[in-house]
Amino acid sequence: MNIIFQPWPWYIAGPLIGLIVPALLLLGNKTFGISSTLRQVCAACIPANISFFNYDWKKESWNLFFVLGVIIGGFIATYFLSVPGQVSINPATAALLKQEGVKDFSGLLPQDVFSFSQLFTLRGFVFMIAGGFLVGFGTRYAGGCTSGHAIMGISSLQWPSLVATCCFMVGGFIMTWFILPYLLQL
Amino acid sequence: MKNIKFLIVGMLFGIILVKSQVISWFRIQEMFRLQAFHMYGVIGSAIVVGIVSILLIKRFQLKTIHDEPIVIPDKKFHWGNVYGGLIFGLGWAITGACPGPLFAQIGSGFSVIIITLLSAIGGTWVYGLLKEKLPH
């Protein structure tokens, strides 16, 4: 049982995530992808006569159940299958982040960046609101996210997904190396 | 009720995301700073298992549990793959979460991430609004 409560290594977690691809195909021809649920929510709640949101979202409602499951799974894993504690990251990364202004290393996310009390600061606005906006805008513009392009797309050998995945990484490197240090100082 | 099975698969996905710490902002920082193999291992081995699974499905012409042939729609290249991909990458490094982990973080008790998720939904909505004007 101990092994369940410890953090899982990549060679356990990665293959299990990979198995979601055939599981969804076999359970009903569904292609793995999370960001499309954001479009689903738009179509269901705020379609505003925009043609991109004018489709029968109910036909694809399986993915809303899927993400509801992700929320429940996150809850179960955190409250029943984990011992709370620090994420044991590379000390070099921790040292760099400390230097750049991150103070809290006690959990999965730094509370001094991501919390309600930070929401109305400039830094909080950038990390929680602007960051989220870029994720939602960019994934839809790209036609998928890490699950839809990097995992599902590359698994089915689609080269546009490989291109998109490389661009995800390039965008992430640019942000992390050249912009993020300044954003953390805000 | 036919959707309950997807809820269960989603739950398993959420559990894996949390247990492997993929939802941790710190793990994403490590990845983009090339200071740990963890995230590359997770995504890379997921892709390998995905490739092999799809090859097997095709090789044995497996059908769904409803006995339908399995069809995987083709993704056509458009420049949005590049521009949108770069924009998502910028956001990913800030939030430390792609869309899947956002949902899992909320379940993990980081309720403030509901705001980030709403903002991501807003971003998707603005994309829908501007779609015709953007280069693809």
Side-chain angles (χ1 to χ4, degrees):
Chain A
M1 278 308 278
N2 205 15
I3 201 155
I4 298 266
F5 289 89
Q6 297 301 315
W8 296 355
W10 64 265
Y11 50 84
I12 303 287
L16 287 175
I17 292 174
L19 286 175
I20 292 175
V21 169
L24 292 177
L25 287 171
L26 294 169
L27 286 174
N29 253 326
K30 307 300 183 198
T31 47
F32 184 38
I34 302 283
S35 62
S36 44
T37 53
L38 305 178
R39 181 185 179 192
Q40 287 277 86
V41 175
C42 290
C45 303
I46 31 172
N49 259 331
I50 296 169
S51 61
F52 188 61
F53 301 125
N54 244 317
Y55 64 95
D56 187 9
W57 61 272
K58 288 187 186 127
K59 268 176 84 177
E60 290 298 314
S61 56
W62 75 274
N63 60 16
L64 296 172
F65 284 85
F66 187 81
V67 292
L68 181 66
V70 176
I71 297 176
I72 299 171
F75 179 83
I76 294 173
T78 305
Y79 294 97
F80 300 107
L81 303 175
S82 300
V83 274
Q86 252 175 307
V87 180
S88 54
I89 52 169
N90 186 333
T93 311
L96 260 171
L97 288 171
K98 264 183 202 146
Q99 209 181 329
E100 290 172 2
V102 178
K103 293 192 182 74
D104 175 43
F105 290 81
S106 63
L108 290 167
L109 278 71
Q111 294 282 332
D112 58 328
V113 180
F114 298 94
S115 64
F116 280 107
S117 61
Q118 293 299 312
L119 196 54
F120 298 103
T121 64
L122 182 57
R123 183 164 87 166
F125 176 84
V126 168
F127 277 82
M128 288 174 274
I129 296 175
F133 187 90
L134 292 176
V135 168
F137 184 89
T139 50
R140 201 68 270 123
Y141 194 178
C145 58
T146 327
S147 50
H149 271 316
I151 297 177
M152 182 66 211
I154 299 180
S155 289
S156 50
L157 307 177
Q158 316 222 28
W159 67 270
S161 291
L162 183 62
V163 172
T165 303
C166 292
C167 293
F168 300 165
M169 296 308 295
V170 170
F173 287 131
I174 293 173
M175 174 55 69
T176 306
W177 291 351
F178 303 113
I179 310 176
L180 201 81
Y182 298 100
L183 297 182
L184 283 169
Q185 301 290 336
L186 290 175
Chain B
M1 281 312 278
K2 65 182 171 45
N3 281 320
I4 293 300
K5 53 186 182 286
F6 299 115
L7 186 128
I8 293 168
V9 179
M11 270 173 55
L12 297 174
F13 183 47
I15 291 173
I16 304 162
L17 287 178
V18 172
K19 288 307 305 178
S20 57
Q21 300 177 329
V22 165
I23 68 162
S24 170
W25 185 83
F26 296 109
R27 288 274 176 227
I28 304 301
Q29 284 295 315
E30 266 185 342
M31 168 179 79
F32 283 130
R33 288 164 200 267
L34 302 171
Q35 289 173 321
F37 180 72
H38 185 77
M39 286 298 306
Y40 294 99
V42 170
I43 298 175
S45 59
I47 292 173
V48 170
V49 170
I51 290 177
V52 173
S53 308
I54 290 179
L55 285 177
L56 291 174
I57 285 175
K58 288 190 172 157
R59 173 75 181 73
F60 295 103
Q61 297 182 334
L62 296 182
K63 300 232 165 93
T64 69
I65 52 168
H66 306 296
D67 210 30
E68 296 152 345
I70 287 176
V71 200
I72 300 170
D74 275 334
K75 289 186 195 280
K76 287 207 173 57
F77 176 79
H78 57 80
W79 283 97
N81 294 147
V82 174
Y83 305 132
L86 290 170
I87 294 170
F88 165 50
L90 295 173
W92 188 11
I94 297 178
T95 61
C98 32
L102 284 179
F103 289 101
Q105 286 176 346
I106 293 168
S108 288
F110 296 97
S111 40
V112 74
I113 301 302
I114 292 171
I115 307 289
T116 308
L117 179 66
L118 289 175
S119 187
I121 292 168
T124 299
W125 190 84
V126 170
Y127 169 74
L129 184 69
L130 302 178
K131 184 172 186 278
E132 304 306 323
K133 298 194 180 93
L134 295 166
H136 279 87

